[in-house]
Amino acid sequence: DADVTQTPRNRITKTGKRIMLECSQTKGHDRMYWYRQDPGLGLRLIYYSFDVKDINKGEISDGYSVSRQAQAKFSLSLESAIPNQTALYFCATSDQRTGRSYNEQFFGPGTRLTVL
Amino acid sequence: ELKVEQNPLFLSMQEGKNYTIYCNYSTTSDRLYWYRQDPGKSLESLFVLLSNGAVKQEGRLMASLDTKARLSTLHITAAVHDLSATYFCAVDFMDSNYQLIWGAGTKLIIKP
């Protein structure tokens, strides 16, 4: 089944450590996204990528960086983690290859990150 | 400013009752999405609404879109416990470069 996977699923780390969250998809979609979710705040977009060479900042990119290693892989890094980056992180994909005019997104299972 | 507002943010109801969740948005769009999230789980796409007057139904859930009022509703008919979840609406605006702008979510608890 075509899918979106994230690793790790859970991570506890300490302030100042570098962390990488990885996302892979077998859907063949061109667009990929990283979101964070905090209780009561809905989803906030960190970065998004339309293809391997096109990466864009979202609403809350400060303190984060990304890499689109291939069409199917999109990783999120926290260069120096801080406690207020404790959150649930989701990767998502969407398919605009055929010029589709809408942006239905498909989500991975999430990574729960705790920064102590 | 591109904004999406849901209400209520929390809803507790009895099984068998009907209720509606509202999603208002700030400026022109004809593309609206509803998602479901179970506690600690991922988001699942429920409905994609792409035109004024669009109505989609799946089981006890029905979603509609009124682009003139900038309003979408998610109606729950004869609620059952299994529908307990958090429901999000999201809108993509012409000015948002295909980014989705999300509501804060409505946490729905259905008591047996």
Side-chain angles (χ1 to χ4, degrees):
Chain A
D1 217 7
D3 216 344
V4 183
T5 57
Q6 292 182 235
T7 56
R9 297 292 311 280
N10 287 282
R11 183 71 183 268
I12 300 172
T13 191
K14 294 183 179 180
T15 297
K17 294 290 188 182
R18 184 178 188 274
I19 295 295
M20 179 181 286
L21 309 183
E22 298 187 340
C23 177
S24 294
Q25 53 115 346
T26 57
K27 288 184 170 296
H29 290 174
D30 53 334
R31 297 189 177 188
M32 299 185 74
Y33 309 81
W34 276 105
Y35 290 95
R36 69 177 275 175
Q37 184 178 37
D38 299 277
L41 293 180
L43 288 167
R44 292 184 290 168
L45 183 64
I46 306 172
Y47 271 95
Y48 60 106
S49 171
F50 288 171
D51 65 37
V52 174
K53 296 181 180 178
D54 186 354
I55 294 177
N56 305 277
K57 293 183 178 181
E59 177 188 358
I60 54 162
S61 59
D62 286 349
Y64 301 94
S65 62
V66 290
S67 174
R68 184 87 181 262
Q69 301 95 323
Q71 187 187 35
K73 296 185 182 294
F74 192 36
S75 59
L76 175 72
S77 294
L78 288 68
E79 297 300 326
S80 179
I82 56 176
N84 78 359
Q85 291 177 314
T86 293
L88 187 55
Y89 290 84
F90 286 104
C91 175
T93 71
S94 69
D95 184 8
Q96 257 71 43
R97 290 169 295 166
T98 55
R100 183 179 297 183
S101 65
Y102 63 94
N103 188 14
E104 185 183 16
Q105 295 182 7
F106 298 87
F107 285 78
T111 295
R112 186 167 296 281
L113 177 65
T114 303
V115 183
L116 302 175
Chain B
E1 185 186 359
L2 304 177
K3 287 178 64 175
V4 178
E5 294 183 341
Q6 287 182 238
N7 69 83
L9 298 182
F10 180 81
L11 177 58
S12 179
M13 56 194 291
Q14 296 292 129
E15 278 193 328
K17 299 290 188 182
N18 302 333
Y19 211 81
T20 301
I21 299 170
Y22 298 89
C23 176
N24 290 90
Y25 53 96
S26 59
T27 190
T28 303
S29 175
D30 57 3
R31 298 186 296 271
L32 190 137
Y33 312 82
W34 283 98
Y35 286 82
R36 169 182 172 147
Q37 184 181 34
D38 292 313
K41 303 292 186 181
S42 186
L43 285 86
E44 173 191 0
S45 178
L46 290 175
F47 300 110
V48 177
L49 303 170
L50 299 176
S51 62
N52 186 42
V55 177
K56 295 270 183 85
Q57 183 163 4
E58 179 75 32
R60 300 173 188 274
L61 299 177
M62 183 174 71
S64 64
L65 178 61
D66 181 344
T67 59
K68 294 178 182 177
R70 299 176 188 165
L71 172 68
S72 180
T73 59
L74 180 65
H75 187 72
I76 302 145
T77 301
V80 293
H81 179 66
D82 286 353
L83 291 178
S84 295
T86 298
Y87 293 86
F88 291 93
C89 65
V91 180
D92 75 70
F93 298 97
M94 288 178 62
D95 294 342
S96 68
N97 196 22
Y98 287 108
Q99 294 178 53
L100 294 186
I101 309 298
W102 294 81
T106 297
K107 185 172 184 177
L108 177 62
I109 295 176
I110 300 169
K111 300 176 182 178

